[in-house]
């Protein structure tokens, strides 16, 4: 049997003093006293190397934090929470709206580190675009034996209803969120892909805005790449992939509604792009054309950035009881009159079992070695592999292949005997429905906990935008942090928080920003807000409203790849 992960040895003595560039020894403030206390695994720390020395990327951050008192940081942390509450930046947890937890200490990436990540993410998006085009087209990947056809067709997110649809510009993955971890050797690895409705970019922008206001000292000595370009790049990608006939495409953001946990993000992106935020009841499809109802009448819709899961999008094709979408959207897309972003059926490519084939798919479609490695993954449909995993279940992390937000995850070392028994039964009952991975000790970063800086485990979700010609990756992304001591589950729904993520300029002071995009005419984006949606009859209005609220919350649990 494989040994359990070893407990981390204390490096308190190394971290309570460090040599300056002149060779003298100076004391580190009490914020870092016992920094490694409570650390339960040998991990890569983002700020300190294994000898307790501050890494170059964090030098100015460390020097800024060092003279701070606990009272200083507590006041700034309170300022962060207050700023988030004032701006309405919240997420839904157990039916309650709460401020999104933001830690004071940013996560920092060097220019070289980011260039490696950026190249790997672009490669991955290009690969998965090719895979989706193949899966919903000729199926050569099946004929060549790279991926079993049965594996794809048994995915709950493979939708035959969209087979043969050729999207404008060949783009199905307009927006992707790739979850990245750093292992105990300091290597970046991909944990999973999110290609349906990846959520969390609003927190990236708001984290930066609030941090710059509450803790401007940290930005003074660092050239940090900006993140405020994201809405402009997204708008450009949506306009670039509009139907060919649309010279001035009308774009809408389709939201499930105010009861969805990511509604703040839907409203923010619509406002920053200058497009309409609509619900399904604002839309109507007629003769394979989609229209939005406005105060001046119906207007044709060309591009729909939808934040609704496939099953709720079109009641003609999927769930007939859905009140969140609009009947006829799939026919409109098939006729070439509507671009749906992200495309319907993308979930087959972020299925966690398909994830295990992505390194092979990179070589198959691009003829290149993968730039970012996966976490080792066990496919439980194989009898020998399944037996190997079941014999070591208490050393594994078991995940449902189609879940998100940390739901359904079984962390073997912390699971009870009853939970392990249930997990075993679930695997035996549906081997296709689960994958297993060895426990990977995520890297740690200093996080303010009870007035002291403590190591807490991190991951990273960079966001990529594809306009059909190039893949742009937002510098940084959403760093999520597991706040409970020893936890490896970073999702906010499981008690996690976030950090502002910095990408530093290169040695020449060049920040990571693409060439400026052409800005659309103000008249083209300054659309009037849609009118009040048409009301349903009084007999079914209350019932429909209740059904809509329940489905909005269900989409939050099932549909979006939530950061929380």
């Amino acid at each position: 049997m494989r040994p359990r992960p070893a407990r981390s040895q204390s490096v308190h003595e190394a971290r309570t003093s460090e040599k300056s560039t002149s060779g003298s020894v100076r004391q580190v403030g009490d914020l870092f006293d016992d920094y490694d206390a409570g650390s339960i695994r040998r991990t890569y720390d983002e700020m300190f190397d294994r000898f307790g020395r501050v890494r170059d990327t964090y030098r100015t951050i460390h020097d800024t934090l060092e003279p701070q008192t606990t009272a200083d940081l507590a006041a700034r942390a309170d300022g962060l929470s207050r700023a988030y509450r004032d701006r309405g930046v919240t997420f839904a947890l157990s039916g309650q709206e709460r401020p999104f937890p933001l830690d004071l200490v940013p996560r920092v990436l060097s220019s070289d580190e980011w260039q490696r990540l950026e190249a790997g993410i672009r490669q991955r998006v290009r690969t998965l675009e090719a895979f989706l085009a193949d899966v919903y087209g000729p199926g050569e990947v099946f004929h060549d034996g790279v991926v079993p056809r049965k594996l794809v067709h048994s995915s709950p997110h493979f939708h035959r209803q969209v087979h043969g649809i050729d999207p404008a510009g060949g783009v199905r993955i307009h927006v992707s969120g790739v979850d990245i971890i750093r292992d105990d050797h300091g290597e970046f690895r991909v944990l999973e892909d999110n290609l349906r409705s990846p959520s969390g970019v609003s927190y990236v922008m708001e984290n930066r805005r609030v941090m710059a206001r509450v803790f401007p000292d940290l930005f003074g000595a660092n050239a940090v790449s900006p993140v405020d370009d994201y809405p402009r790049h997204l708008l450009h990608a949506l306009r670039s992939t509009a139907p060919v006939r649309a010279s001035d495409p009308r774009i809408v953001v389709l939201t499930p509604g105010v009861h969805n946990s990511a509604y703040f993000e839907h409203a923010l992106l619509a406002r920053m792009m200058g497009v309409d935020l609509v619900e399904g009841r604002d839309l109507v499809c007629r003769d394979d054309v989609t229209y939005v109802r406005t105060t001046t009448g119906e207007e044709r819709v060309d591009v729909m950035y939808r934040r609704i899961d496939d099953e709720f999008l079109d009641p003609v094709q999927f769930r007939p009881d859905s009140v969140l979408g609009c009947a006829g959207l799939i026919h409109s897309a098939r006729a070439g009159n509507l671009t749906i972003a992200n495309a319907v059926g993308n979930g087959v490519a972020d299925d966690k079992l398909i994830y295990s084939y992505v390194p092979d798919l990179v070589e198959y479609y691009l003829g290149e070695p993968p730039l970012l490695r996966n976490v080792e993954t066990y496919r439980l449909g194989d009898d020998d592999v399944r037996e190997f995993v079941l014999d070591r279940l208490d050393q594994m992390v078991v995940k449902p292949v189609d879940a998100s937000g940390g739901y359904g995850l079984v962390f073997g070392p912390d699971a009870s005997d009853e939970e392990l028994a249930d997990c075993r039964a679930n695997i035996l009952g549906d081997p296709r429905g689960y994958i297993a991975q060895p426990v990977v000790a995520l890297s740690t970063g200093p996080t303010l906990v009870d007035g002291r800086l403590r190591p807490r485990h991190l991951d990273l979700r960079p966001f990529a935008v594809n306009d059909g010609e190039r893949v742009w990756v937002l510098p940084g992304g959403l760093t999520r942090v597991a706040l409970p001591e020893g936890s490896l589950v970073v999702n906010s729904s499981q008690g996690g928080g976030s950090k502002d993520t910095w990408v530093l300029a290169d040695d020449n002071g060049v920040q990571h920003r693409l060439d400026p995009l052409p800005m659309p005419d103000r008249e083209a984006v300054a659309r009037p807000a849609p009118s009040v949606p048409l009301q349903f009859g009084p007999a079914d209005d209350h019932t429909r409203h209740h059904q809509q609220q329940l489905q909005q919350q269900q989409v939050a649990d099932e549909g979006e790849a939530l950061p929380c």
Side-chain angles (χ1 to χ4, degrees):
M1 292 182 64
R2 294 184 180 179
R4 292 178 180 271
R7 294 178 64 88
S8 172
Q9 295 179 345
S10 172
V11 292
H12 167 58
E13 295 79 9
R15 286 176 176 162
T16 52
S17 65
E18 65 173 311
K19 289 188 177 181
S20 67
T21 54
S22 62
S24 61
V25 176
R26 56 185 173 86
Q27 294 298 313
V28 177
D30 64 352
L31 290 172
F32 288 100
D33 283 354
D34 300 322
Y35 173 73
D36 67 323
S39 179
I40 62 170
R41 294 176 179 84
R42 187 183 302 277
T43 63
Y44 179 97
D45 190 84
E46 299 286 336
M47 180 177 281
F48 296 101
D49 67 17
R50 63 191 182 93
F51 301 109
R53 296 173 300 206
V54 180
R55 299 185 191 277
D56 290 341
T57 51
Y58 277 88
R59 174 65 58 187
T60 57
I61 299 275
H62 179 271
D63 291 348
T64 303
L65 290 173
E66 183 181 1
Q68 302 284 326
T69 67
T70 56
D72 291 335
L73 291 192
R76 293 182 191 269
D78 183 65
L80 289 180
S81 297
R82 190 166 54 250
Y84 261 20
R85 284 194 299 269
D86 292 346
R87 291 184 58 81
V89 185
T90 62
F91 73 102
L93 180 61
S94 302
Q96 296 182 345
E97 290 293 327
R98 306 185 183 187
F100 194 64
L102 172 62
D103 184 61
L104 275 172
V105 185
R107 198 256 186 88
V108 185
L109 299 170
S110 70
S111 178
D112 289 342
E113 288 176 322
W114 179 248
Q115 288 178 11
R116 293 196 300 271
L117 271 176
E118 186 179 42
I121 292 166
R122 285 174 172 167
Q123 181 191 63
R124 205 162 177 103
V125 173
R126 290 166 53 216
T127 297
L128 293 172
E129 277 282 14
F131 174 67
L132 285 167
D134 200 3
V135 163
Y136 290 108
E140 294 176 357
V141 71
F142 307 135
H143 302 148
D144 292 338
V146 180
V147 176
R149 185 187 301 271
K150 181 180 179 180
L151 189 70
V152 171
H153 289 181
S154 62
S155 169
H157 301 297
F158 173 75
H159 296 308
R160 290 175 175 80
Q161 296 92 328
V162 296
H163 192 278
I165 293 181
D166 187 17
V171 178
R172 289 175 169 83
I173 308 171
H174 300 77
V175 179
S176 59
V178 183
D179 289 349
I180 304 287
I181 63 155
R182 200 198 293 258
D183 64 19
D184 52 359
H185 300 293
E187 179 184 358
F188 289 114
R189 292 183 178 236
V190 177
L191 189 61
E192 63 181 55
D193 302 285
N194 299 290
L195 310 177
R196 286 171 278 169
S197 298
S199 182
V201 73
S202 61
Y203 301 123
V204 176
M205 295 184 287
E206 289 298 317
N207 284 356
R208 179 64 52 81
R209 187 195 309 269
V210 173
M211 281 288 292
R213 191 177 89 186
V214 174
F215 214 158
D217 324 37
L218 288 177
F219 291 85
N222 294 277
V224 182
S225 298
V227 297
D228 55 356
D229 275 356
Y230 181 85
R232 197 153 57 98
H233 281 278
L234 176 58
L235 179 62
H236 175 73
L238 296 176
R239 291 176 63 86
S240 298
T241 55
V244 176
R245 55 140 215 94
S247 58
D248 179 19
R250 180 165 192 126
I251 301 168
V252 300
V253 176
L254 177 62
T255 177
V258 296
H259 299 289
N260 183 265
S261 63
Y263 180 77
F264 168 81
E265 178 161 305
H266 308 165
L268 180 72
L269 290 175
R271 176 170 58 82
M272 296 186 76
M273 289 191 292
V275 304
D276 295 330
L277 179 67
V278 304
E279 297 182 25
R281 58 184 176 175
D282 299 322
L283 304 173
V284 61
C285 292
R286 188 169 51 252
D287 298 327
D288 294 340
V289 177
T290 302
Y291 300 90
V292 59
R293 299 182 178 99
T294 74
T295 52
T296 58
E298 295 177 353
E299 295 190 17
R300 184 165 180 161
V301 175
D302 303 299
V303 181
M304 176 186 297
Y305 178 43
R306 52 91 179 218
R307 299 298 294 263
I308 291 179
D309 196 28
D310 293 351
E311 283 72 19
F312 293 91
L313 190 61
D314 187 338
V316 173
Q317 302 292 336
F318 304 112
R319 285 184 54 158
D321 64 333
S322 172
V323 295
L324 302 182
C326 177
L329 292 177
I330 299 302
H331 284 308
S332 186
R334 185 175 291 280
N337 295 323
L338 178 68
T339 295
I340 300 176
N342 283 353
V344 176
N346 277 12
V348 71
D350 66 20
D351 181 298
K352 291 180 177 62
L353 188 53
I354 298 298
Y355 154 92
S356 68
Y357 288 87
V358 172
D360 296 332
L361 295 175
V362 172
E363 297 189 9
Y364 176 70
Y365 288 114
L366 305 184
E368 303 169 358
L371 299 177
L372 293 174
R373 292 202 297 163
N374 281 3
V375 173
E376 183 181 5
T377 302
Y378 299 105
R379 304 166 184 165
L380 302 182
D382 182 283
D383 292 343
D384 292 337
V385 173
R386 186 169 61 251
E387 181 179 355
F388 174 86
V389 168
L390 291 176
D391 287 344
R392 299 160 178 80
L393 204 55
D394 62 342
Q395 303 171 40
M396 298 287 176
V397 179
V398 178
K399 303 177 181 179
V401 298
D402 60 346
S404 62
Y407 293 104
L409 181 148
V410 176
F411 186 69
D414 292 345
S416 65
D417 291 342
E418 182 179 358
E419 288 171 332
L420 291 175
D422 289 343
C423 180
R424 178 184 299 273
N426 291 336
I427 291 173
L428 291 173
D430 180 19
R432 167 64 177 83
Y434 297 88
I435 55 101
Q437 295 172 331
V439 175
V440 177
L442 314 184
S443 64
T444 57
T447 304
L448 187 64
V449 179
D450 297 330
R452 293 289 187 272
L453 292 172
R454 296 285 184 257
R456 291 295 185 262
H457 294 290
L458 314 169
D459 81 348
L460 174 65
R461 177 179 289 183
F463 293 89
V465 178
N466 182 11
D467 65 8
E469 294 185 0
R470 59 182 178 179
V471 177
W472 175 78
V473 188
L474 177 68
L478 181 66
T479 289
R480 301 179 295 181
V481 53
L483 297 177
E485 182 178 335
S487 174
L488 292 172
V489 182
V490 298
N491 309 85
S492 295
S493 55
Q494 311 297 316
S498 71
K499 288 175 173 284
D500 189 15
T501 308
W502 292 8
V503 174
L504 300 182
D506 62 22
D507 293 337
N508 298 318
V510 178
Q511 296 176 335
H512 292 267
R513 182 197 292 265
L514 282 183
D515 295 336
L517 292 172
M519 286 299 291
D521 296 337
R522 291 183 63 85
E523 184 178 349
V525 299
R527 307 281 191 183
S531 63
V532 176
L534 297 180
Q535 297 297 309
F536 298 95
D540 67 343
D541 198 32
H542 176 75
T543 301
R544 184 181 180 91
H545 176 76
H546 179 65
Q547 185 180 14
Q548 183 184 35
Q549 180 175 345
L550 291 176
Q551 289 186 2
Q552 288 175 23
Q553 294 169 344
Q554 188 173 355
V555 168
D557 291 339
E558 297 178 358
E560 293 209 11
L562 292 170
C564 37

